[in-house]
Amino acid sequence: MAAIGIVGSAGRMGQALAAAIDEAGETRAGGADRGDDVGALAGKADALVDFSTPAALADTLEACVKAGIPLLIGTTGLSADNHAAIDAAARTIPVLQTGNTSLGVTMLAALVEQAAARLGDDWDIEIVEMHHRMKVDAPSGTAILLGEAAARGRGIDLAAHTESGRDGHTGARATGAIGFAVLRGGTVAGEHSVILAGEQERITISHSAENRAIFARGAVKGARWLIGQGAGRYTMNDVLGL
């Protein structure tokens, strides 16, 4: 059994993670929240899972590097500085950072990458996502993950080809653009659709999250997989062998 610690244990995902750890037959090493000593938690864990906030990430990375244990990061809304810190830590420990730990979304992203690679840029790509009213970042980490998959398939840079927040007289859609549309409301755990629209035909690939337990189960699987891996930066694709 692996001892897995939870950073952000008091939140909804933290509670789902605790249940998923028990369900998987692993051991809960404990939890840490704002004001707690993450280093103490890392010292008694085989791996940490962090679904807290971008502001808390630096302390978590430092604690894991000092303890020499893996870290799975499911926190979204990360900045360029956050990613640079992850890259630095990954030179010492195994780190898995993802916008979504769902196994279904991981497979969806692989399918999107394949479709984007095989269809020309005359096929427009639009990503539509909906989440609960309390979500604070947009587009969602999952939507960005799917956009990155499409961009990889096309061999382009996502940031240079993103269209989002359309309003008013925007002009025609740019060829090769990857568009994002964001919906917020109710208690939706997560809905994502990738639309590939060609001339007189359209492909829609979708994923519906019915309960955040799916993210927790995937995170536990990912954390367990990370234990014993060498230093480096990993994704959920590595966990599934994609």
Side-chain angles (χ1 to χ4, degrees), residues 2-204:
I4 301 173
I6 305 168
V7 181
S9 60
R12 289 174 293 182
M13 267 306 301
Q15 295 170 42
L17 282 164
I21 291 169
D22 294 343
E23 179 185 286
E26 308 294 355
T27 300
R28 274 189 268 166
D33 293 283
R34 183 178 296 179
D36 291 335
D37 184 355
V38 182
L41 175 61
K44 58 183 181 180
D46 296 317
L48 292 190
V49 177
D50 188 345
F51 276 83
S52 59
T53 65
L57 183 57
D59 288 343
T60 304
L61 287 167
E62 181 181 356
C64 287
V65 168
K66 185 175 181 179
I69 64 169
L71 171 63
L72 184 145
I73 303 165
T75 304
T76 59
L78 301 180
S79 67
D81 287 343
N82 291 139
H83 283 288
I86 294 168
D87 289 338
R91 291 194 284 269
T92 304
I93 60 170
V95 182
L96 191 162
Q97 180 272 319
T98 180
N100 193 303
T101 53
S102 157
L103 303 183
V105 165
T106 302
M107 184 57 68
L108 172 63
L111 295 173
V112 169
E113 183 173 349
Q114 289 184 41
R118 286 161 175 76
L119 299 173
D121 63 7
D122 55 329
W123 285 72
D124 300 323
I125 300 176
E126 292 286 313
I127 299 168
V128 183
E129 60 104 335
M130 182 170 186
H131 282 84
H132 53 87
R133 64 171 67 94
M134 301 302 291
K135 188 167 179 61
V136 298
D137 58 306
S140 69
T142 302
I144 294 170
L145 180 152
L146 294 171
E148 289 171 343
R152 277 196 308 274
R154 290 250 167 109
I156 60 175
D157 176 63
L158 177 62
H161 291 82
T162 292
E163 284 191 4
S164 62
R166 299 185 183 110
D167 184 49
H169 188 74
T170 61
R173 189 185 194 283
T175 300
I178 297 174
F180 292 86
V182 176
L183 308 176
R184 292 288 179 266
T187 57
V188 178
E191 300 277 348
H192 294 85
S193 292
V194 179
I195 302 166
L196 297 104
E199 291 296 322
Q200 301 178 344
E201 58 183 328
R202 185 170 67 251
I203 300 169
T204 301

